[in-house]
Amino acid sequence: MVRIILDTDIGSDVDDAMALALAMRSPEIQIEGVTTVYGNVDLRAKMARKMAQYGKRDDVRVYAGLNRTLLGNREIWMAGHEGDGLLTEDDKLAYEDRHAVDFIIETVMGQPGEITLVAIGPLTNIAACLIREPRIAQNVKEIVIMGGVTRLGDNGMHMRVVEHNIVCDPEAASLVFNSGAPIVMVGLDVTLKVTITEEERRRLLDTGDPLNMALARMIGKWFEFAKEEISYMHDPLTIALLLDRTLVRTEKMNIRVEYDHRPQTGQTIATLDPSGTVDVCLGVDHARAVGLLMDRLIGGRVGSAL
Ligand code: BDR
Ligand code: CA
């Protein structure tokens, strides 16, 4: 059993909701709690609760976290479509009274070596936990992060681009990557290969299952909003690799995050280091990852490598 806390900016894209759905539909995963981060954390908490309702998982507890960046020195970027296709005005969606940071610290420290933190939004909550209780780094089982870009070229240079979760709060990201905690980093260069299309949306819709239908509606809204015909499954890959590590190829590295206000802010600079603390994903079996996601949601055959 993998015991997780899912720290999410659900609503920024449909992939957070997909990650939560995959976790809820995977018996190997025990969700200790869902924590929300970045901007309108109350709206995000309501979204997570609504997903839990659709998934008939009233046991999934949700805690709202920090609504600003770690230093409060950066604008919050909200797309404006958060909640579209999921929430209605008359939804009564209560979530827990406790702050996400308190919940994470108490849960991790209360069960040393047991809890995996899965971070699929900006790293503000996790950084705040590490400031309040630095021993989180030694007591967490691992931190699986969707964030950053570290594709190494033949010359060992990283790509000079940035990724949303890191660039939104690079100070927080720097603190987390430097904490010494065991980290798995699932970067954009890898997750961009994990995509679904109208075909998968239709398959979800056709199940008639309320959770899948909600996901299908959100994907449809996303197609309209982004004027895209594919939807990127960045965040679900973090959950998928907890189910099957052979989906990804990783290498040990150290990650430095640029966090000053020059143009390179948010870049994740990767250095190969066999004793590094970060397992960086460099490749993914994307067909098998999407297969696993769909099998779990649709309830059919389980991925071949499991
Ligand atoms: C990340 O940014 C968010 O919008 C997605 O949900 C994902 O976590 C991808 O860059
Ligand atoms: Ca996200």
Side-chain angles (χ1 to χ4, degrees), residues 12-13 15-16 120 146 163-165 188 234-235:
S12 56
D13 271 337
D15 62 332
D16 291 79
I120 56 175
M146 189 284 127
E163 182 281 326
H164 177 82
N165 290 339
L188 192 66
H234 308 288
D235 295 339

